[in-house]
Amino acid sequence: MSENLPFNERYIQPPYKILYRESLENAENFWKGMAKELDWFSPFDKVLDESNAPFYRWFPNGKINIVYNALDRHLKSRKNKVALYWENEKGESRHLTYGELYNEVNRFAKILQDLGIKKGDRVLIYLPLMPELPISMLALARIGAIHSIVFSGFSTQAVIDRINDAKAKLVITTSHTMRRGKRVELKRIIDEAVAQTPSVEKVLVIKRDEEIELNEERDVLYQDLAKKTGYKKVEIEETLSTDPLFILYTSGTTGKPKGILHLHGGYSLWTYLTTKWVFDLKDNDIFFNTADIGWITGHSYIVYGPLQNGASVLMYEGVPDYPNPDRWWELVEKYGVSVFYTSPTAIRSLMKYGADWVKNHDLSTLRILGSVGEPINPEAWRWYFKNIGNSQLPIVDTWWQTETGGIMISATPGLGNYMLKPSANGLPLPGIDADVFTEDGNAAGTREKGYIVIKRPWPGMLAGVWGDPDRYVKTYFSKFKGIYYPGDYAVKDEDGFFYILGRADEVLKIAGHRIGTREIEDILISHPAVAESAVIGVPDPVRGEVAVAAVVLKQGYQPSDELKKSILEYVRNNLGALVVFGGLYFVTKLPKTRSGKIMRRLVRSVIAGQTLGDVSTLEDETSIEELKKVIEEFS
Ligand code: WT7
C-alpha cells in the first residue's frame, strides 16, 4: 500500500467503509441483511420499533433464542468441535465439544424446570469461572428464564442488593474457588445473603471436590439432580426478540446499582456481529478472553459472541501471576491461542515481572490482541505490542460498556480495518453513529475534549434498567435529550478516530472494574463507627485507579489504625475485595455546600494536591484546611 495515501486510505479497507456507510445511509436494509445471518423461529415485523423511544425495541415480533444460535445450530457441522476449554491454577482441565455442551445445557435446563423455574423468572448465579457458569446461563436462557450473574469477587451486601432488586427465585452457587492456592469461600457468602432475601426459594449448589454442608430445606445438590435427571433434550423456548435474556448489575452515580437489561434478539445480533468484525474469529481460532463471566466482557465475549460464531473459547479460573507470572503465556502456548483479549491492568501487573517470562513461550499462534475496560496508557500499550504481539500484531482497543451489550468503537480486523494509532480506540463499528458533544450539546471541534454520545439506537443497546424506567431515561437520555449518553470523556481526531479519556461521572474504574463512589460510601456509613464519608478515585500505576476515602467518625469513636483496618475489612466483607483503597483519612468534617451537599470535587483536589478552583459555595473553609493537614501527616 502506498505511503502517499492518507492514513485512513492506507489502513482501512473497503469492507469496513462500505458496511459503515451502508449501515447509516440504508439502515433498515443493513440490519435486515445482518439479522439473516442468525436463525429465527419466525421472522420479525420490522427492524426497529421506535414508537416508545427511548425504549427502542429491535426486531419486534420476531422469535429467536440466543441459545439456538449459540448451540443448536452448530450441531450439524460442529458437534465434535471443542466449544469450551477450561483450566484452573493447578493445571486441571476440562473441555466440552459443542455436542457435549449442548447435552450439559439441556440436562441443566431440565433440572431448572423441575425446580419450578419458568420463562421470565430471575435466577442469580454466583459462580467462579467454572464450566457450570456458562452451562447454567445457557440453560436458563434456553427455557426463557432471566439470568443475573454476580461477579464472585463481590461480597454479601452486594449479593443481597442484587437478589432483592431482581427478586430472584433461585440462586446457583458452589462451595469455593481457588485464588493463589487459597480457598475463597463462596457458599458461605450465599448462606449469609439468602438470610436477607425473601424471594429466594432454593439454592442450587454445585459440588466441587469435597463434601459440602447443606441446608436441608433450602439447598439442593446439582450432582444429585443431574444423576437422577440424566441427559434429556429440553424443548427450546421460542422467545420473542424482545423477551429478556439477562440482567447485569453495574454501578452508576447513586449508591444503588442498576440492573442493565438485555433482550434476546438485539443482543444476539450485536454480540454475534461484533465478535466477527473485531476478533475476526474463524473456525480454527482459539479465543482466550481473560475476563470473568461475571462482567459484561465475559457474557458477550466468552459466552454469547464466540459461541454464536461457532468458535473455541478458553476460560481460565485463576490469576495471571500464579503460580508464576507466565501462567497466561503457558496457556497461550499449550492451547495455541490465536486471539487474546485482556485488560490494561492485567498488562501493567505483568509488566513489572519483566519480559523474560514471556520469552520462554511460543506465542506464534497469536494473530490479534485486544484490550478493554479502561484507557490503555502508552507504556502498557508498547509492552503489550512488543512482547506479546512481537511488534506486529494489531491491538484492538475496544471501547464499550455493560449498557452497550457489545463493542462500539475499535479497529475491526474482520472488516479489513487494521488501524493502529497510539492511544486511539478507533472508528465506530458499522451501525454506530458516535460523536463528541460539548457541555451544551454541540458537536465538539477536532481534538476538542467533550462527551462521547451515540446518536441512534443499535441492536446491542440496553433495553432498560430493571424495575426503574425513569432511571433509564434520566441516566442515558437526558443530558442530551433523546441521545444516548455513556458518561465518558472523549476526543475525535481529524480522521474520525475516537480516543476515550475516562469517566465523566462519579464512577471509578479500579483494575477495570466499575464501581460507584456512592456505592462505597453507602457501605462505609453502614459501619457502626462511621458518620459520613466522601470517596474519590486517584490514579494508580497498576490498577489505573484506586479509591480514597475521607471519613467522619460518629461521636464516641477515636481515629486509630485498628479502626481504619476494621473499616477497610468491613468494606471488603460487604462489597468485595475489588474495592482497593489507596488511603482512608479521618477528619472531623467534610467540605460541604451551604445546602449540605458533600463537595467531592474539593476532596479530590486536596488529595491530588491541585488548586481548589471555585470555593464560593463552600460552607466552612476549615474543613479543607483540616483535610490538607491530615493528608500531609499520613502520606
Ligand atoms: C466503562 C464501561 C466494556 C466491557 C468492560 C467494562 C471504560 C471500557 C474502554 C477502553 C477506555 C474503556 C469506559 C466505559 N472503558 N473499555 N477500551 N478504553 N475506556 O464495562 O464495567 O460497563 O465499564 O469502561 O469508562 O464507560 P463496564
Side-chain angles (χ1 to χ4, degrees), residues 250 295-297 371-376 397-403 425 486-488 500 502-503 509 512-514:
T250 190
W295 304 102
I296 191 71
T297 315
S371 173
V372 64
E374 47 181 323
I376 184 163
D397 183 359
T398 64
W399 174 80
W400 58 295
Q401 313 178 289
T402 306
E403 292 89 337
N425 295 87
D488 279 322
I500 305 294
R503 298 291 308 186
K509 277 281 173 168
H513 298 154
R514 178 166 163 187

Side-chain angles (χ1 to χ4, degrees), residues 315-352:
M315 53 191 273
Y316 169 58
E317 184 179 352
V319 295
D321 56 354
Y322 183 88
N324 289 305
D326 61 348
R327 187 67 183 110
W328 281 354
W329 319 128
E330 210 172 75
L331 291 168
V332 168
E333 181 171 358
K334 174 170 172 187
Y335 291 91
V337 170
S338 52
V339 184
F340 178 76
Y341 194 30
T342 194
S343 69
T345 290
I347 297 298
R348 287 189 296 261
S349 75
L350 292 174
M351 265 167 82
K352 62 174 194 255

Side-chain angles (χ1 to χ4, degrees), residues 553-565:
L553 293 174
K554 281 187 188 152
Q555 270 196 342
Y557 289 93
Q558 292 305 318
S560 72
D561 280 350
E562 256 143 73
L563 185 54
K564 188 162 144 183
K565 254 213 225 98

Side-chain angles (χ1 to χ4, degrees), residues 93-281:
S93 64
R94 222 180 125 181
H95 66 262
L96 293 155
T97 63
Y98 272 91
E100 287 164 344
L101 183 58
Y102 175 82
N103 291 338
E104 291 298 331
V105 166
N106 273 276
R107 180 168 71 169
F108 206 113
K110 180 74 177 67
I111 290 169
L112 291 166
Q113 283 179 337
D114 291 347
L115 287 170
I117 301 302
K118 289 195 267 311
K119 184 178 175 193
D121 286 343
R122 275 82 60 205
V123 173
L124 186 122
I125 304 178
Y126 188 67
L127 290 174
L129 269 190
M130 62 198 283
E132 283 74 13
L133 176 48
I135 291 169
S136 58
M137 63 200 280
L138 291 161
L140 286 159
R142 185 169 188 85
I143 60 174
I146 305 169
H147 59 72
S148 168
I149 304 178
V150 176
F151 171 54
S152 58
F154 275 116
S155 204
T156 320
Q157 192 58 45
V159 175
I160 294 172
D161 292 345
R162 285 157 177 75
I163 294 178
N164 285 340
D165 189 75
K167 299 202 173 52
K169 248 170 110 168
L170 178 75
V171 174
I172 302 173
T173 193
T174 187
S175 53
H176 70 287
T177 182
M178 298 299 286
R179 205 180 155 85
R180 299 181 202 284
K182 286 207 197 84
R183 275 175 73 99
V184 178
E185 303 298 337
L186 298 176
K187 172 132 192 310
R188 205 173 285 165
I189 287 169
I190 294 300
D191 288 342
E192 278 171 30
V194 295
Q196 297 179 57
T197 57
S199 63
V200 173
E201 294 166 9
K202 291 266 178 261
V203 175
L204 179 57
V205 184
I206 296 157
K207 198 170 116 175
R208 296 203 95 171
D209 43 8
E210 77 321 333
E211 289 308 313
I212 186 167
E213 222 177 278
L214 297 179
N215 170 323
E216 281 191 12
E217 265 164 38
R218 187 198 65 202
D219 299 345
V220 283
L221 198 60
Y222 172 73
Q223 277 78 0
D224 287 350
L225 299 177
K227 212 191 284 162
K228 245 193 335 224
T229 309
Y231 289 104
K232 289 198 182 75
K233 187 172 167 345
V234 169
E235 274 318 307
I236 193 159
E237 182 72 35
E238 297 196 358
T239 33
L240 284 169
S241 168
T242 51
D243 277 335
L245 169 62
F246 67 83
I247 305 168
L248 181 57
Y249 285 85
T250 190
S251 298
T253 48
T254 71
K256 194 171 171 270
K258 293 177 287 213
I260 303 303
L261 177 65
H262 285 288
L263 313 179
H264 272 268
Y267 179 83
S268 295
L269 184 60
W270 195 237
T271 50
Y272 167 76
L273 290 176
T274 52
T275 301
K276 220 162 60 135
W277 292 343
V278 176
F279 300 113
D280 188 33
L281 287 191

Side-chain angles (χ1 to χ4, degrees), residues 522-535:
D522 280 1
I523 294 286
L524 280 170
I525 57 175
S526 72
H527 184 282
V530 177
E532 280 184 309
S533 81
V535 171

